[in-house]
């Protein structure tokens, strides 16, 4: 059929040519990019798989670079730790050399100490300055942080090597100890122990019952009566009745009664005077002519015995005035003192705290009274001086519980506040009813006095005496007619010498009197001393964790001496000795260390078959210690002595508890550590958190001490204690080498293996991704050739198809 409006052949050729052009374009794209999948339409499922693989490959490549970086950090830390290790080894050598003090001078040891100080400073510098891209590695900033919990004080050392803290950033750690670490122990029994002598004791008790009596006090009343003054009559010195004076004595005395008084005058300008002549019994008064008697009396006022009374003076002294001698007319009398007293007694036993106060009442005729006023017996009297003493007595007797008696030998009768004095004070010499006792404790060393008696006897004379018979019986004899002090009795016993005596501290009886009761008690509980020790000579070898030692011990060596010998070398053997606290005849040998590595091996080399050691253990005995057994967060931990360790995916640590402790421990890890991302996903199981502790001198060391203590002036310096220095350095070396080993193991087993694994995984994933996405050039080239041919063919066919309508023109010709 010939049509021109619709060229079906051309349309078919066009479609085929378009499809062939698309195949050609696809082939050209794949060959130009090298990838089979260049867009989602090329292979939707393949694109998804390819992109997922490509993401994994990218993450894995970063994980590989992270691992390389972590390995470089560990290598840097290990290099610095190697230098620290070298310094520590050098310090240990210096400490060992310094211990040779017998061959080294003080200056040499001091030089070694300088090297130690320099090495310690270098270690601190390494700890401070070891960095990786600014991150400090050995100063403790990469160590784990912990928070103490239950029984954390039992932790002596804790090293957290690795911990997976998860998304919460912390971890609770529970340590449940099922059995504590044990020491090795061997016991040797039936060694006769040294027995100290014990004194035999007894006591003597004296007893006395005392009847109570009231206290008393005497209230004294005193009156002083002045004596009469000796004097002359009025003396007229001129016979005319004027210029009269009286001569008086200054003291109340009658010593000048009967003396004659002569009065003469002196010339003007000569001093007046009074002269006493005891032999002639005359008193001469010389008056200065022309001077008034008042002035003369003033001049003579300082005379020791006499003074002039010139109140009757009417003139002055005239030369030639004279007076005849006049005898003292009145006999003088001396002053006298009169007393009276009222004694007051309290009827109540032991009442001693009342004072007497005599109060002058204002009304002159007040009736006297007596009453208790607080802690005073207050007596009130009138001021007129007419209060009768017997009325005061009656007033005091009117107070309940008190009685009074009056003693008035001078017949004072009345009390006058103006010229009476009183003495007041507490009631005294009260005695309370009581049962008094005194105990004398006696002792005699050993058992010799057991069963001996103490007998108290009376009938002696004077000081107490003590006698001891052949059986040790003791007799104390005192004079019952006098009061013998307890101290004198004690002194007499001690002076005799057989017994030692001492008065009890709480004695209430201080002396022995006739009628005192005593109790006689026998002595008991005395024990004689015993030397003890091993029964036969013995040679034995003692082996411990640190080494062995041979002991050659003689018969009779006490258990205490044997313990001392063994402990002197316990540092060399690792075995210490002690006496069993429950049986003082048993020798206990214990390892100084704990755990299965601790050993006590006792071998008897030579001894009589009946000897103490052979009888107890035969040829020998051996025992091992036991390691600690525990679980950490439910996982069985490995025990070594008092140290347990655990190594799981989530936690790797070592923990040392106090020696022999079995207390469960809890604490928390709250952060810290160096976190390394080792996988392609940021999840805890593809991370590693490693703790790197500080290696400063304040942190390195162990149970023996810290490294800084080796510095000059410290307790473990080479001059002070080189032995302790060696122990501390050894622990520090162990700590550093352990850290290096742990970091090396992490580097070799974790980081390097992780890198190999990641590299292999990346290769496999890359191959898988390539097989999905990369173009097969051979196949795509063939497709290109086919497409090119088809395009050319299609073009030719389309040209032919387009020519077909022209054939219709032939019909029109």
């Amino acid at each position: 059929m010939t049509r021109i409006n619709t060229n079906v052949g051309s349309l078919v050729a066009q479609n085929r040519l378009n499809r062939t052009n698309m195949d050609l374009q696809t082939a050209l794209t794949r060959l130009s990019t090298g990838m089979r999948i260049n867009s989602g339409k090329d292979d939707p499922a393949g694109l998804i798989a390819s992109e997922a693989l490509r993401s994994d490959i990218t993450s894995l490549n970063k994980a590989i670079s992270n691992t390389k970086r972590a390995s470089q950090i560990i290598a840097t830390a290990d290099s610095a730790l190697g230098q620290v290790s070298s310094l520590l080894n050098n310090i240990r050598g210096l400490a060992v050399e310094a211990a040779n003090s017998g061959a080294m001078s003080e200056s040499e040891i001091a030089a070694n100490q300088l090297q130690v100080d320099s090495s310690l400073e270098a270690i601190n510098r390494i700890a401070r300055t070891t960095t990786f891209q600014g991150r400090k590695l050995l100063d403790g900033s990469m160590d784990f942080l912990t928070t103490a919990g239950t029984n954390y004080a039992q932790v002596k050392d804790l090293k957290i090597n690795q911990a997976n803290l998860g998304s919460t950033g912390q971890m609770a750690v529970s340590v449940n100890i099922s059995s504590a670490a044990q020491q090795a122990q061997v016991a040797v029994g039936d060694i006769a122990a040294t027995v100290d002598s014990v004194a035999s004791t007894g006591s003597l008790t004296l007893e006395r019952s005392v009847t109570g009596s009231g206290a008393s006090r005497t209230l004294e009343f005193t009156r002083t009566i002045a004596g009469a003054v000796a004097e002359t009559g009025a003396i007229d010195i001129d016979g005319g009745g004027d210029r009269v004076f009286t001569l008086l004595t200054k003291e109340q005395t009658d010593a000048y009664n009967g003396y004659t008084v002569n009065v003469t005058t002196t010339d003007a300008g000569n001093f007046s005077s009074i002269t006493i002549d005891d032999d002639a019994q005359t008193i001469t008064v010389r008056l200065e002519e022309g001077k008034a008697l008042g002035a003369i009396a003033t001049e003579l006022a300082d005379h020791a015995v006499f003074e002039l009374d010139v109140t009757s003076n009417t003139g002055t002294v005239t030369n030639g005035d004279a007076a005849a001698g006049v005898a003292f007319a009145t006999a003088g009398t001396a002053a006298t003192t009169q007393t009276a007293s009222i004694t007051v007694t309290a009827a109540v036993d032991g009442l001693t705290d009342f004072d007497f106060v005599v109060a002058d009442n204002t009304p002159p005729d007040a009736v006297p009274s007596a009453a208790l006023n607080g802690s005073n017996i207050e007596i009130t009297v009138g001021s007129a001086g007419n209060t009768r003493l017997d009325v005061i007595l009656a007033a005091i007797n009117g107070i309940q519980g008190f009685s009074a008696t009056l003693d008035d030998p001078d017949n004072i009768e009345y009390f006058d506040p103006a010229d009476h004095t009183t003495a007041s004070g507490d009631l005294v010499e009260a005695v309370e009813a009581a049962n008094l006792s005194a105990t004398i404790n006696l002792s005699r060393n050993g058992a010799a006095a057991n069963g001996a008696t103490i007998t108290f006897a009376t009938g002696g004379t004077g000081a107490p005496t003590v006698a001891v018979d052949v059986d040790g019986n003791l007799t104390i004899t005192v004079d019952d007619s006098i009061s013998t002090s307890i101290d004198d009795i004690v002194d007499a016993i001690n002076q005799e010498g057989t017994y030692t005596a001492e008065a009890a501290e709480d004695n209430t009886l201080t002396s022995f009197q006739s009628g005192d009761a005593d109790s006689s008690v026998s002595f008991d509980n005395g024990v004689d001393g015993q030397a003890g020790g091993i029964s036969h000579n013995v040679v034995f070898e003692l082996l411990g964790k640190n080494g062995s030692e041979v002991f050659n011990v003689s018969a009779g060596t006490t258990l205490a001496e044997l313990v001392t010998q063994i402990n002197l070398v316990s540092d060399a053997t690792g075995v210490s000795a002690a006496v069993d606290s429950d049986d003082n005849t048993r020798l206990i040998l214990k390892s100084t260390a704990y755990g299965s590595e601790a050993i006590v091996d006792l071998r008897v080399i030579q001894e009589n078959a009946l000897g103490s050691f052979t009888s107890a253990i035969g040829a020998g005995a051996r025992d091992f210690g036991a390691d600690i057994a525990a679980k950490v967060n439910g996982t069985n931990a490995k025990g070594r002595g008092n140290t347990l360790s655990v190594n799981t995916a989530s936690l790797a640590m070592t923990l040392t508890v106090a020696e022999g402790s079995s207390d469960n421990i809890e604490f928390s890890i709250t952060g810290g550590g160096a976190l390394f991302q080792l996988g392609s996903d940021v999840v805890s199981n593809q991370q590693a958190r490693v703790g790197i502790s500080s290696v400063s001198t304040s942190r390195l060391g162990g149970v023996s001490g810290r490294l800084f203590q080796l510095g000059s002036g410290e307790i473990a310096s080479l001059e002070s204690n080189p032995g302790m220095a060696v122990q501390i350095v050894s622990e520090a070396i162990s700590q550093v080498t352990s850290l290096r080993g742990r970091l090396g193991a992490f580097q070799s087993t974790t980081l390097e293996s992780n890198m190999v694994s990641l590299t292999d995984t990346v290769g496999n994933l890359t191959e898988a991704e390539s097989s999905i996405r990369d173009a097969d050039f051979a196949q795509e080239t063939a497709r290109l050739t086919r497409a090119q041919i088809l395009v050319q063919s299609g073009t030719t066919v389309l040209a032919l198809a387009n020519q077909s309508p022209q054939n219709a023109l032939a019909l029109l010709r």
Side-chain angles (χ1 to χ4, degrees):
M1 177 182 282
T2 303
R3 300 183 182 94
I4 62 173
N5 286 332
T6 302
N7 191 346
V8 177
S10 177
L11 292 175
V12 172
Q14 289 179 40
N15 288 337
R16 294 298 180 184
L17 182 60
N18 286 337
R19 184 173 299 176
T20 301
N21 280 328
M22 290 177 61
D23 289 343
L24 178 62
Q25 185 64 38
T26 298
L28 289 172
T29 301
R30 288 176 177 175
L31 289 173
S32 63
T33 62
M35 293 188 297
R36 186 179 67 84
I37 301 174
N38 290 285
S39 62
K41 69 182 181 63
D42 292 340
D43 187 352
L47 179 65
I48 293 173
S50 175
E51 288 296 331
L53 289 172
R54 183 171 291 183
S55 174
D56 290 341
I57 292 169
T58 302
S59 298
L60 287 170
N61 284 328
K62 285 300 180 182
I64 291 173
S65 65
N66 287 345
T67 303
K68 290 179 180 179
R69 178 70 61 86
S71 182
Q72 292 165 357
I73 291 175
I74 298 302
T76 303
D78 181 71
S79 177
L81 289 173
Q83 186 58 35
V84 172
S85 233
S86 177
L87 290 169
L88 289 175
N89 285 324
N90 183 54
I91 293 174
R92 192 181 193 283
L94 294 172
V96 172
E97 185 178 38
N100 190 27
S101 58
M104 294 190 68
S105 65
E106 292 183 359
S107 59
E108 289 176 306
I109 296 176
N112 283 357
Q113 182 63 53
L114 290 176
Q115 293 186 60
V116 169
D117 292 340
S118 178
S119 296
L120 295 178
E121 184 179 350
I123 291 172
N124 284 330
R125 183 170 59 254
I126 292 171
R128 292 192 303 267
T129 60
T130 301
T131 59
F132 186 90
Q133 290 188 342
R135 180 77 180 274
K136 295 185 183 298
L137 303 181
L138 301 178
D139 66 344
S141 59
M142 286 190 172
D143 203 356
F144 285 98
L145 305 176
T146 60
T147 301
T150 305
N151 295 324
Y152 193 75
Q154 297 297 322
V155 177
K156 297 305 179 185
D157 191 28
L158 172 63
K159 293 182 178 64
I160 303 173
N161 304 326
Q162 181 178 343
N164 188 343
L165 304 185
S167 59
T168 62
Q170 62 181 5
M171 175 191 293
V173 180
S174 175
V175 180
N176 295 316
I177 300 176
S178 55
S179 62
Q182 301 294 325
Q183 297 166 284
Q185 175 176 310
V186 170
V188 181
D190 297 328
I191 298 176
T194 298
V195 178
D196 295 330
S197 61
V198 178
S200 182
T201 59
S203 62
L204 175 69
T205 301
L206 303 175
E207 295 181 344
R208 180 191 308 163
S209 296
V210 178
T211 302
S213 62
S216 64
R217 177 78 180 184
T218 299
L219 183 63
E220 297 180 350
F221 302 89
T222 303
R223 175 189 298 163
T224 301
I225 301 175
V229 179
E231 60 180 15
T232 66
I235 301 175
D236 183 352
I237 60 172
D238 64 358
D242 57 1
R243 298 189 299 282
V244 177
F245 70 88
T246 304
L247 182 64
L248 303 175
T249 60
K250 291 183 177 181
E251 300 292 340
Q252 298 173 343
T253 178
D254 56 0
Y256 299 101
N257 284 355
Y259 280 55
T260 299
V261 180
N262 298 314
V263 181
T264 63
T265 59
T266 66
D267 295 334
N270 293 326
F271 292 107
S272 302
S273 64
I274 300 174
T275 305
I276 304 171
D277 187 345
D278 290 324
D279 293 336
Q281 291 193 335
T282 60
I283 302 170
T284 301
V285 180
R286 293 180 176 84
L287 305 177
E288 183 181 353
E289 189 271 333
K291 184 173 289 189
L293 276 173
I296 294 174
T298 300
E299 291 178 357
L300 297 177
D302 60 351
H303 192 274
V305 179
F306 293 100
E307 61 184 0
L308 300 183
D309 181 3
V310 295
T311 56
S312 304
N313 169 40
T314 59
T316 60
V317 177
T318 303
N319 187 21
D321 286 348
V326 179
F328 277 86
T330 304
T333 58
T336 60
T337 300
Q338 296 178 332
T339 62
S341 63
I342 296 177
T343 299
V344 180
T345 301
V348 181
D349 295 350
L351 188 59
T352 60
D353 59 350
F354 285 95
D355 291 339
F356 294 111
V357 178
V358 178
D360 177 14
N361 200 8
T362 301
D365 298 323
V367 178
S369 64
L372 293 178
N373 183 6
S375 60
N376 298 324
I377 299 175
E378 189 173 272
I379 304 169
T380 58
V381 297
S383 61
N386 58 358
T387 304
R388 292 180 60 85
L389 294 180
D390 57 355
V391 178
I392 296 175
L393 177 69
I396 296 174
N397 281 324
I399 304 174
Q400 185 177 2
F402 293 88
S403 61
T405 58
L406 173 64
D407 182 14
D408 188 12
D410 296 322
N411 199 25
I412 292 179
E413 296 188 14
Y414 294 94
F415 171 72
D416 186 354
D419 61 4
H420 283 182
T421 59
T422 60
S424 64
D426 289 342
L427 303 175
V428 295
E429 296 182 355
V431 178
E432 297 186 23
N435 292 320
L436 307 179
S437 66
T439 298
I440 301 175
N441 298 314
L442 296 89
S443 64
R444 181 178 178 182
N445 195 38
N450 286 350
T453 60
I454 309 171
T455 303
F456 199 90
T458 60
T461 57
T465 60
V466 176
V468 179
D469 63 20
V470 294
D471 296 324
N473 298 315
L474 184 144
T475 302
I476 306 169
T477 304
V478 297
D479 185 347
D480 59 352
S481 65
I482 61 174
S483 178
T484 304
S485 73
I486 301 300
D487 290 340
D488 288 344
I489 296 174
V490 169
D491 291 342
I493 297 172
N494 289 327
Q495 289 174 6
E496 192 279 333
T498 303
Y499 290 87
T500 299
E502 183 179 22
E505 293 183 357
D506 57 351
N507 284 345
T508 56
L509 183 64
T510 59
S511 64
F512 171 82
Q513 296 178 2
S514 178
D516 289 347
D518 72 276
S519 59
S520 298
V521 181
S522 62
F523 289 84
D524 58 9
N525 298 325
V527 177
D528 291 328
Q530 179 180 330
I534 63 175
S535 59
H536 295 76
N537 296 341
V538 62
V539 178
F540 63 88
E541 180 183 20
L542 186 59
L543 170 67
K545 182 180 179 181
N546 298 345
S548 64
E549 186 73 24
V550 175
F551 296 87
N552 191 338
V553 184
S554 302
T557 300
T558 65
L559 195 52
E561 293 170 340
L562 187 57
V563 167
T564 300
Q565 288 188 43
I566 295 173
N567 286 338
L568 282 174
V569 293
S570 63
D571 60 334
T573 62
V575 177
S576 64
V579 179
D580 191 340
S581 59
D582 297 325
D583 183 355
N584 60 2
T585 67
R586 278 167 52 91
L587 172 68
I588 301 298
L589 301 173
K590 279 188 177 182
S591 61
T592 55
Y594 285 74
S596 57
E597 297 178 0
I599 181 176
V600 175
D601 190 348
L602 177 61
R603 296 291 175 182
V604 179
I605 298 174
Q606 181 179 334
E607 187 185 30
N608 186 282
L610 299 178
S612 301
F613 279 75
T614 304
S615 300
I617 61 171
R622 174 186 293 181
D623 186 47
F624 291 91
D627 295 318
I628 189 172
K631 287 186 176 183
V632 177
N633 288 352
T635 301
N636 288 328
K638 179 182 178 181
R640 183 178 182 184
N642 289 301
T643 300
L644 55 89
S645 60
V646 64
N647 191 0
T648 65
S650 60
L651 177 64
M653 74 168 192
T654 60
L655 182 146
T656 302
V657 302
E659 293 183 345
S661 174
S662 61
D663 295 333
N664 294 334
I665 300 169
E666 293 180 355
F667 63 93
S668 297
I669 303 173
T670 56
L675 180 63
F676 298 113
Q677 175 65 42
L678 304 181
S680 58
D681 292 328
V682 184
V683 291
S684 59
N685 61 1
Q686 294 189 30
Q687 295 174 336
R689 192 184 293 265
V690 178
I692 304 177
S693 58
S694 170
V695 294
S696 67
T697 58
S698 63
R699 299 291 297 275
L700 288 179
V703 294
S704 299
R706 297 298 177 186
L707 195 60
F708 75 90
Q709 293 173 318
L710 274 69
S712 295
E714 297 289 345
I715 61 173
S717 65
L718 302 189
E719 298 96 333
S720 301
N721 194 340
M724 183 178 180
V726 170
Q727 293 177 355
I728 294 175
V729 174
S730 297
E731 292 171 349
I733 291 173
S734 176
Q735 189 174 348
V736 171
T737 54
S738 175
L739 178 58
R740 292 189 67 190
R742 179 165 54 82
L743 294 179
F746 176 71
Q747 184 179 15
S748 64
T749 61
T750 301
L751 297 181
E752 292 183 0
S753 63
N754 184 64
M755 190 178 302
V756 171
S757 175
L758 291 176
T759 302
D760 290 344
T761 302
V762 168
N764 293 331
L765 292 181
T766 301
E767 182 180 359
E769 194 267 343
S770 175
S771 66
I772 296 173
R773 195 159 194 166
D774 289 348
D776 186 341
F777 266 65
Q779 182 178 3
E780 295 302 328
T781 302
R783 288 180 178 176
L784 175 64
T785 302
R786 176 178 177 277
Q788 287 175 331
I789 294 172
L790 289 176
V791 168
Q792 292 175 2
S793 174
T795 301
T796 300
V797 171
L798 179 60
L800 293 174
N802 288 335
Q803 291 177 0
S804 294
Q806 294 180 2
N807 293 331
L809 294 177
L811 298 177
L812 297 176
R813 290 178 181 168

